[in-house]
Amino acid sequence: MTGLGLCLGLAACDRTDERVDRLEDISRGVLDQLGGGSGAERDAMQSAPVSARALAGKILEASPVLPGATAPQKFVVGSIVAKPRDMPPPASASRSLNVPTMADYDAYVAGDEADAVIVVPSEEDLAMMESGESVAASVEAPRSISRSATSSRRIIAIDPRSRDLSASGGIVSREVIQDSKALRAPLGERTLSIPEADVSPDGGAAAPQEPLPPKLAERRLMMPRAAMSSQMVAETRMIETAQRYGLAANIQRSRSGQMVIEVGSRAMSPTRYDANDKLAPPIAEDDGLECPENPTAEQLQADPRLATVCVIRDLQNSGDFEYVEKDWVYHHQMIRRPKNGGPSTTSTITPNDPLWSLQWNFLGQGIGEGKSQGGAGFVDFWTSQATQGSGEVVVAVVDTGLEMDHPDIKDSPNLAKGWDMVTDINMANDGDSRDPDPNDPGDVCPEEFVYENTYHGTHVAGTVGASVTNNAAGVAGGAWNVKIVPVRALGKCGGRLSDINDAIRWAGGLIPEYDELGNEVWNDNPADIINLSIGIFRFCPASMQDAIDEVVERGVVVVAAAGNDKVSTQYYAPGGCNNVISVAAGDARGIMAPYSNYGAEVDILAPGGDLTRDDNGDGRPDGILSTKTAHDCVDPVTNESIDDCFYAYEQGTSMAAPHVSAALALIKSKRPSLSGNALSDVLMSALTPRSQEQCSGLCVQYPGAEPIEGSPDLCKRPCGGGMLNLSNIKLDE
């Protein structure tokens, strides 16, 4: 029986050090307290250059938990996420589809029945829309139009830098893209969708392309004509709704079925705004504002928040949509620090990274040398299964992006091409909208208590395996050799629901993005596992559930942070969504961290850390140590202060989720044929059961929870699943 099994409650567990005589301290001398680990590990740390071992993180006085569950949630003003009702589902590119071709365009030009094409509004129309005046919702395309008109800017393709507007690219010819790439189609205009493969640079039929590999062909979504028609019907309803109130609007369609409607001033320039514009803040708190029974056009034109809720209400009441919801703003699930607060055996396979001795989270569960009560058993798996990962396995990290110039990442063979999905330029913080560069430019946002760049995605990806492991520098990752695809969906002050939904689908290989010339850019490394260390205190939005369901249907495993608001995970998204593995955070004792969400929706408890404790006695906080640029650092060998460093301790369910993603990647590396439920079932069947004591907390922290008999200060929290423990997995047997 372990020390945890002997605990009668958390108070007793807090004195585990007394009852087991601090076995860790007895086995360590003064130098081990300073440098950590065994003699070999200490030598590795001392011999490494300072830049490869300096780290940030102090033991905190108290856990800096922010009451996110009680704080107002935020949404993007004027942005609405919707999907038409009864829309035929998209099919994969491996199936034969009746999609529009260049012949459909020719039929339209000849005056035959065909889909409409997008028409550029006149300069007068644009000026009127920018001034807030109402204009005709739909511009009728002249029947006398000819293909030569594509160079006159009267026929327009959708801005290739915007979302995936059309079913199959939405371009009439490549020449159009070059003439009109800075323009976006206004609300009422329709598109003839022509697959990129059917169009050559001169407008003729393109040469046949090589068939896609089975995995790519099965993932990539194509939209049947009936589905495109459903979106066009939905557009008509949107047009009518916006025009009723004299609002400018912009509609962006995806072949997945998701549509984003932007109304009001954002519709004219949805990725830009005037930060001083008091009437149209890009992000606002959700204070329960409701639409009056008969709002006037003047009311809605003067109040963008009211316009948003009224358009949502009207579209919901139309009955034409499966869902219509606000474009909610999500945040990562790393516990933020206050502004002024500080933060083996010879046969065992362990990396030579100098900070390895401080990564208790990867050790086997237990007490004694080379063990941690809260460890996840990675060392045991590396050793017993003789694998540290495979480059054929792909983990997509949908997050804040990645520090591409981080010294432990920039030359990593594990890094694959990613994408920046952040639409809003201010939120993107890098000077542009969506593009192929997933670099994290930083996310300082005092309004959200972010006073320095978090580089959250870099920390998360480092835990999975983005950093180079066993290179005598920095830290180790959980899966040394897997492929990491960084997908940036969060920026300054959070990330939009609509962007996150697209990021999930692009990461899974279902939809393309577009380069500056309008060419489709697919993820050529579609994810086997998608990590979502993000969250919002809301029931799972229908559009997010839709995106998750689509990738899961195609064999992707989605791992989500449970959330950091010490509430039931059912109230959180994506941790409370269906078809995800929801991960709560544990400390170095294997006890659920005080900030972690809990409940029946939790599938796994994994190391998330607690910066207020040092239960393993190594002189460092029991956070999760990983890659990221940080400040106010220390050299762990000399204890000298260092201004800047590349490694830091953090805590949160954000840190717990990538342990599960890495564990799944290791299992798939060993058994490549496993995917989807079959893959996750292997992991779930090997969890270590949790005791009630591991899930309990102080009653004052969890009002209404059931007290534990004999421990009046402690209350029960529903546990959910068991502890992540790769030591239990025996794939060779």
Side-chain angles (χ1 to χ4, degrees):
M1 182 177 290
T2 67
L4 278 174
L6 297 173
C7 292
L8 298 177
L10 285 184
C13 288
D14 286 343
R15 295 192 297 273
T16 299
D17 53 331
E18 301 172 10
R19 295 161 57 189
V20 299
D21 300 322
R22 297 305 298 254
L23 295 179
E24 293 90 345
D25 289 351
I26 293 175
S27 67
R28 296 183 178 93
V30 175
L31 288 178
D32 283 348
Q33 287 288 330
L34 180 63
S38 65
E41 292 168 342
R42 185 170 64 251
D43 291 343
M45 183 182 293
Q46 291 175 335
S47 62
V50 173
S51 62
R53 70 190 189 203
L55 52 89
K58 300 175 182 177
I59 299 175
L60 302 181
E61 293 294 327
S63 183
V65 179
L66 297 178
T70 58
Q73 302 308 307
K74 297 185 177 182
F75 64 97
V76 181
V77 175
S79 186
I80 301 166
V81 184
K83 182 179 181 180
R85 185 178 299 280
D86 300 325
M87 181 174 173
S92 68
S94 62
R95 302 166 194 163
S96 176
L97 291 173
N98 181 24
V99 297
T101 66
M102 210 56 195
D104 293 314
Y105 176 77
D106 294 333
Y108 177 80
V109 172
D112 298 332
E113 191 67 26
D115 293 304
V117 295
I118 291 175
V119 178
V120 180
S122 68
E123 295 298 327
E124 292 79 9
D125 289 339
L126 289 174
M128 291 175 66
M129 294 178 75
E130 289 172 349
S131 66
E133 297 183 55
S134 176
V135 296
S138 180
V139 181
E140 183 179 356
R143 286 295 185 179
S144 60
I145 197 165
S146 66
R147 191 171 297 177
S148 63
T150 59
S151 61
S152 69
R153 297 170 67 107
R154 294 299 300 174
I155 303 297
I156 181 175
I158 301 312
D159 180 359
R161 294 166 296 180
S162 68
R163 288 185 186 84
D164 176 18
L165 182 64
S166 76
S168 302
I171 66 170
V172 175
S173 75
R174 296 178 189 268
E175 288 82 3
V176 179
I177 293 295
Q178 296 169 0
D179 273 0
S180 56
K181 65 181 181 181
L183 297 177
R184 300 172 67 95
L187 174 66
E189 315 214 343
R190 307 288 180 79
T191 178
L192 170 67
S193 298
I194 298 178
E196 181 80 7
D198 291 339
V199 184
S200 69
D202 61 2
Q209 296 183 339
E210 290 294 323
L212 292 169
K215 180 179 179 181
L216 299 185
E218 185 61 30
R219 293 281 184 90
R220 295 184 177 183
L221 296 182
M222 302 295 289
M223 183 172 287
R225 187 189 304 275
M228 293 168 57
S229 298
S230 295
Q231 285 190 324
M232 290 181 178
V233 170
E235 283 183 359
T236 300
R237 179 66 66 185
M238 297 168 190
I239 291 167
E240 294 171 349
T241 303
Q243 285 301 109
R244 184 182 309 133
Y245 301 117
L247 297 171
N250 181 295
I251 299 175
Q252 301 157 23
R253 297 191 272 127
S254 169
R255 70 185 62 192
S256 67
Q258 175 177 287
M259 304 176 74
V260 178
I261 314 106
E262 290 173 311
V263 297
S265 60
R266 287 187 60 84
M268 295 310 303
S269 187
T271 64
R272 300 177 184 272
Y273 66 90
D274 182 355
N276 297 317
D277 185 355
K278 303 298 184 184
L279 293 178
I283 296 174
E285 291 184 351
D286 180 38
D287 56 4
L289 177 67
E290 295 184 358
C291 182
E293 184 174 350
N294 293 302
T296 66
E298 290 73 18
Q299 283 178 293
L300 270 60
Q301 290 169 6
D303 187 346
R305 293 172 66 252
L306 185 63
T308 304
V309 298
C310 286
V311 172
I312 288 176
R313 184 201 64 179
D314 288 3
L315 293 179
Q316 289 174 334
N317 291 342
S318 73
D320 292 336
F321 295 89
E322 182 179 324
Y323 54 75
V324 184
E325 55 196 3
K326 294 175 181 175
D327 202 346
W328 297 104
V329 176
Y330 281 65
H331 296 286
H332 54 61
Q333 294 301 296
M334 180 171 74
I335 293 291
R336 299 164 184 156
R337 300 172 183 173
K339 182 175 182 180
N340 298 318
S344 72
T345 64
T346 56
S347 60
T348 300
I349 294 178
T350 57
N352 63 11
D353 302 270
L355 298 179
W356 163 249
S357 61
L358 303 178
Q359 295 184 272
W360 58 268
N361 42 303
F362 291 134
L363 299 179
Q365 289 176 13
I367 297 175
E369 182 71 22
K371 299 289 185 180
S372 171
Q373 290 174 304
F378 279 78
V379 171
D380 295 340
F381 189 93
W382 297 337
T383 303
S384 66
Q385 301 301 306
T387 183
Q388 295 82 49
S390 164
E392 299 301 314
V393 178
V394 181
V395 180
V397 178
V398 177
D399 215 291
T400 65
L402 198 61
E403 288 184 89
M404 306 301 287
D405 59 352
H406 189 286
D408 215 0
I409 291 177
K410 64 181 180 180
D411 296 323
S412 174
N414 301 348
L415 196 58
K417 292 181 179 179
W419 201 267
D420 179 1
M421 283 285 187
V422 181
T423 299
D424 192 287
I425 284 186
N426 184 71
M427 190 173 277
N429 204 31
D430 60 359
D432 55 25
S433 186
R434 295 189 177 187
D435 59 35
D437 182 10
N439 184 64
D440 185 348
D443 58 357
V444 170
C445 179
E447 309 94 289
E448 298 291 343
F449 309 100
V450 180
Y451 299 100
E452 61 181 33
N453 295 322
T454 68
Y455 297 120
H456 180 270
T458 302
H459 196 280
V460 169
T463 297
V464 178
S467 59
V468 182
T469 298
N470 207 35
N471 66 337
V475 295
W480 303 8
N481 304 316
V482 300
K483 193 169 292 182
I484 307 294
V485 174
V487 187
R488 185 170 183 250
L490 273 64
K492 178 181 178 182
C493 301
R496 296 170 58 168
L497 169 63
S498 53
D499 288 344
I500 294 168
N501 293 342
D502 283 351
I504 291 170
R505 291 185 171 103
W506 186 87
L510 273 60
I511 63 172
E513 267 301 306
Y514 298 93
D515 63 20
E516 61 182 5
L517 296 179
N519 299 309
E520 289 186 350
V521 181
W522 294 85
N523 177 12
D524 288 331
N525 298 286
D528 300 297
I529 300 123
I530 297 177
N531 190 92
L532 300 176
S533 288
I534 58 177
I536 187 174
F537 182 63
R538 295 201 66 81
F539 288 113
C540 186
S543 62
M544 173 167 278
Q545 188 64 67
D546 197 24
I548 291 170
D549 290 347
E550 284 189 1
V551 295
V552 169
E553 182 183 354
R554 288 162 177 79
V556 181
V557 180
V558 178
V559 179
N564 297 337
D565 284 303
K566 53 185 181 182
V567 298
S568 174
T569 306
Q570 66 177 309
Y571 302 116
Y572 239 75
C577 295
N578 296 326
N579 289 329
V580 303
I581 296 179
S582 185
V583 188
D587 63 18
R589 303 168 298 168
I591 294 175
M592 186 178 287
Y595 55 78
S596 180
N597 288 353
Y598 53 87
E601 290 73 25
V602 170
D603 295 298
I604 297 180
L605 180 73
D610 188 341
L611 295 175
T612 71
R613 308 185 65 90
D614 179 23
D615 290 297
N616 60 9
D618 63 1
R620 308 292 171 193
D622 289 343
I624 303 302
L625 186 59
S626 186
T627 48
K628 62 171 284 185
T629 297
H631 311 289
D632 188 21
C633 308
V634 65
D635 180 344
V637 172
T638 65
N639 270 345
E640 293 180 354
S641 296
I642 305 293
D643 290 338
D644 305 309
C645 59
F646 300 105
Y647 308 93
Y649 287 101
E650 297 293 356
Q651 62 181 355
T653 55
S654 270
M655 286 58 256
H659 286 85
V660 174
S661 294
L664 289 164
L666 287 176
I667 295 170
K668 186 169 178 62
S669 297
K670 187 71 176 180
R671 291 282 182 84
S673 62
L674 295 176
S675 64
N677 290 337
L679 174 60
S680 58
D681 286 348
V682 172
L683 184 66
M684 301 295 286
S685 65
L687 302 180
T688 297
R690 285 185 278 170
S691 66
Q692 181 58 63
E693 289 75 20
Q694 288 175 278
C695 300
S696 301
L698 295 174
C699 294
V700 295
Q701 294 180 325
Y702 306 99
E706 180 184 353
I708 295 177
E709 186 177 353
S711 302
D713 295 333
L714 298 174
C715 282
K716 299 178 181 179
R717 287 181 290 175
C719 274
M723 290 181 67
L724 174 63
N725 190 357
L726 282 167
S727 307
N728 294 337
I729 296 178
K730 311 297 181 185
L731 296 176
D732 287 334
E733 295 180 357

